[in-house]
């Protein structure tokens, strides 16, 4: 009996915690942080030149489509710098063909990776030497731009007098992984970094960004010390965003909607690898934050299992008064999980039917958080694209 009441007390604590988080979720869902189609004001002094910089390592499947989507932008005052970062496929040849057909394209090659650098930061740092724009736009070789994306982004950037702007992409041809499981990890990171706080200059410790789209003024970039300052950061995008906030720069992070898309994950393993990297770097390799993330997910998994057990006991006519209470509060908690996720999906144009997979989502989140926690605790670091980072 004592154990039963102990379990019930645990469930009650989790349920109370979920209630406490509800106002934060409602506030986040109530804010419109999606990039809209904007009209660029004609009375701006000039249209700033944009240097779009894309590193690519063995990206022959996507580099042409990605680069073409940028070159087809309605915003014409751009240059596109493509970096072949030690590719072993025909990425470089495809880049060269693009350059031969459009004089706005520059192709540079990286042959070696110096010690102490991540591949991406080194490639970006190298390519900036060839950039002549007023603004630098860092992106990925598997990012696909809507025709009006750059124009809309520059409009928001200039009118709000920003120093750094990042857009969070949606997925091109999203499948089950992106619709049912990925959003749970996004909610996990937003527990630490809600977008309302990320965009609040007073919340200097709350920073987020996506390397898929980072627009920064040349002046701000140089003031931060360039990519060299973040050369060993596995989540270099978040690190730069936080550094910008710490020195008082104006940072804005928004959802791009369908104006910016990236390719879907090829497997569950790829999705897990992406989020292990994101949590590992995004939570600053902090044992405290990683433990909090793990316990958040684990407590929800336990409550979900207890709900199923209590339902089984009810159907088997083997349920006491304590178990009635247990079934009620675990049921309310599971309903809260599914309901919250349903609202999140509805807000961002997802199919609410995927909220029924919430239990699988939080179980996966618990596993990813456990991996991050053990990687930090053991000091072995993580593997990312063939390189171990600590």
């Amino acid at each position: 009996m004592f154990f039963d009441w102990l379990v019930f007390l645990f469930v009650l604590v989790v349920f109370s915690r979920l209630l406490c988080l509800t106002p934060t979720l409602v506030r986040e869902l109530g804010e419109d942080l999606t990039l809209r189609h904007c009209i660029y004001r004609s009375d701006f002094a000039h249209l700033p030149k944009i240097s779009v910089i894309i590193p690519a390592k063995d990206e022959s499947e996507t580099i042409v489509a990605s680069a073409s989507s940028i070159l087809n932008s309605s915003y014409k005052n751009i240059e596109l710098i493509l970096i072949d970062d030690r590719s072993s496929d025909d990425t470089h040849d495809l880049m060269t063909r693009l350059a031969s057909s459009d004089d706005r394209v520059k192709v540079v090659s990286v042959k070696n990776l110096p010690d102490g650098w991540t591949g991406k930061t080194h490639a970006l740092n190298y390519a900036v030497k060839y950039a002549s724009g007023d603004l630098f736009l860092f992106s990925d070789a598997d990012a696909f731009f809507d025709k009006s994306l750059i124009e809309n982004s520059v409009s928001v950037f200039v009118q709000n007098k920003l120093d750094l702007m990042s857009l969070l992409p949606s997925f091109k041809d999203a499948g089950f992984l992106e619709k049912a499981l990925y959003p749970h990890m996004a909610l996990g990171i937003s527990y630490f970094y809600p977008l309302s706080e990320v965009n609040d200059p007073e919340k200097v410790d709350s920073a987020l960004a996506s390397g898929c789209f980072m627009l920064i003024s040349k002046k701000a970039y140089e003031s931060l010390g360039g990519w060299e300052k973040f050369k060993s950061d596995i989540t270099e995008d978040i690190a730069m965003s936080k550094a910008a906030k710490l020195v008082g720069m104006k940072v804005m992070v928004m959802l791009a909607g369908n104006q910016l898309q990236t390719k879907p994950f090829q497997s569950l393993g790829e999705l897990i690898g992406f989020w292990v990297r994101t949590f590992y770097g995004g939570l600053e390799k902090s044992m405290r934050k990683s433990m909090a993330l793990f316990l958040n997910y684990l407590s929800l998994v336990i409550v979900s299992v207890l709900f199923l057990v209590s339902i089984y006991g009810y159907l088997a006519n083997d349920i006491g008064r304590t178990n009635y209470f247990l079934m009620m509060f675990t049921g309310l908690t599971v309903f809260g999980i599914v309901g919250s996720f349903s609202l999140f999906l509805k807000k961002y144009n997802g199919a609410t039917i995927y909220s029924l997979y919430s239990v699988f989502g939080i179980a996966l989140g618990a596993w990813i958080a456990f991996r991050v926690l053990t990687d930090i605790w053991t000091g072995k670091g993580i593997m990312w694209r063939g390189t171990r980072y600590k």
Side-chain angles (χ1 to χ4, degrees):
M1 178 63 72
F2 174 74
F3 179 74
D4 289 345
W5 281 104
L6 193 63
V7 170
F8 173 66
L9 181 61
F10 166 77
V11 172
L12 197 59
V13 170
V14 175
F15 178 69
S16 300
R17 179 61 178 159
L18 195 63
L19 284 179
C20 291
L21 290 175
T22 300
T24 301
L25 177 64
V26 171
R27 184 175 68 250
E28 289 297 302
L29 294 178
E31 293 196 18
D32 186 2
L33 295 171
T34 303
L35 180 70
R36 304 298 180 187
H37 289 274
C38 305
I39 300 175
Y40 196 91
R41 286 173 47 185
S42 60
D43 60 340
F44 287 149
H46 70 292
L47 297 176
K49 183 177 182 180
I50 312 297
S51 294
V52 186
I53 303 173
I54 299 180
K57 183 179 182 182
D58 298 329
E59 298 282 5
S60 59
E61 291 185 5
T62 58
I63 188 60
V64 173
S66 176
S68 297
S69 71
I70 295 167
L71 295 171
N72 290 332
S73 296
S74 58
Y75 194 95
K76 299 303 181 182
N77 194 15
I78 64 172
E79 63 178 1
L80 176 58
I81 303 174
L82 303 175
I83 315 132
D84 172 28
D85 183 16
R86 301 163 292 143
S87 296
S88 58
D89 61 5
D90 58 348
T91 294
H92 185 269
D93 291 340
L94 294 172
M95 289 178 172
T96 303
R97 292 176 198 170
L98 285 167
S100 65
S101 61
D102 195 314
D103 59 10
R104 293 175 295 170
V105 180
K106 300 177 184 177
V107 178
V108 297
S109 297
V110 172
K111 302 299 183 183
N112 300 295
L113 178 61
D115 292 338
W117 289 79
T118 68
K120 185 174 183 179
T121 53
H122 177 252
L124 292 173
N125 185 71
Y126 182 77
V128 165
K129 301 173 185 176
Y130 299 88
S132 59
D134 306 296
L135 304 178
F136 299 155
L137 173 52
F138 302 106
S139 189
D140 293 328
D142 57 2
F144 309 99
F145 287 34
D146 179 81
K147 186 175 182 179
S148 61
L149 174 65
I150 296 179
E151 182 176 0
N152 293 332
S153 301
V154 171
S155 180
V156 171
F157 191 95
V158 175
Q159 292 187 52
N160 288 279
K161 299 180 180 179
L162 301 177
D163 296 295
L164 187 153
M165 176 184 183
S166 185
L167 298 178
L168 307 181
S170 61
F171 288 96
K172 186 179 179 69
D173 303 320
F176 177 79
L177 295 177
E178 295 77 25
K179 292 178 179 179
L181 301 180
Y182 179 94
H184 278 286
M185 310 306 111
L187 282 173
I189 196 72
S190 67
Y191 169 79
F192 296 93
Y193 307 123
L195 284 188
S196 58
E197 293 187 4
V198 169
N199 291 326
D200 184 346
E202 300 298 322
K203 305 287 186 179
V204 294
D205 289 327
S206 188
L208 198 64
S210 170
C212 201
F213 189 103
M214 285 188 68
L215 184 63
I216 185 171
S217 70
K218 180 179 180 179
K219 180 180 178 181
Y221 173 83
E222 292 175 344
S223 176
L224 290 173
W227 287 116
E228 185 172 4
K229 184 176 179 181
F230 314 100
K231 64 182 182 181
S232 60
D233 284 288
I234 188 67
T235 48
E236 73 294 325
D237 41 13
I238 299 176
M240 178 174 279
S241 177
K242 184 170 185 178
K245 289 194 69 177
L246 284 172
V247 297
M249 292 184 180
K250 194 170 184 181
V251 175
M252 181 177 288
V253 180
M254 303 180 73
L255 300 164
N258 290 328
Q259 293 189 62
L260 174 66
Q261 295 183 314
T262 187
K263 69 176 183 180
F265 294 102
Q266 301 302 303
S267 66
L268 179 61
E270 187 178 339
L271 182 147
I272 291 173
F274 172 85
W275 279 108
V276 167
R277 165 188 172 268
T278 300
F279 285 138
Y280 182 85
L283 300 183
E284 303 168 301
K285 294 180 276 190
S286 165
M287 279 289 294
R288 179 183 61 81
K289 291 182 179 180
S290 300
M291 178 64 77
L293 180 72
F294 173 63
L295 292 177
N296 283 347
Y297 279 123
L298 182 62
S299 61
L300 295 178
V301 171
I302 293 174
V303 168
S304 300
V305 172
L306 289 173
F307 176 62
L308 295 176
V309 170
S310 63
I311 288 292
Y312 174 80
Y314 175 78
L315 294 176
N317 291 319
D318 181 22
I319 186 167
R321 181 178 178 183
T322 306
N323 285 336
Y324 272 117
F325 285 127
L326 184 66
M327 183 173 65
M328 180 178 69
F329 280 100
T330 53
L332 287 172
T333 304
V334 171
F335 178 79
I337 296 168
V338 175
S340 298
F341 192 52
S342 177
L343 291 174
F344 179 82
L345 290 173
K346 185 177 181 180
K347 168 74 175 181
Y348 300 114
N349 301 316
T352 54
I353 186 66
Y354 287 102
S355 62
L356 298 178
Y357 294 95
S358 293
V359 173
F360 298 103
I362 60 177
L364 181 64
W367 168 244
I368 292 173
F370 176 74
R371 281 191 51 182
V372 173
L373 186 62
T374 55
D375 287 342
I376 295 172
W377 182 51
T378 60
K380 69 178 184 179
I382 62 170
M383 287 292 295
W384 179 247
R385 296 188 174 179
T387 304
R388 181 164 295 280
Y389 298 98
K390 296 185 179 180

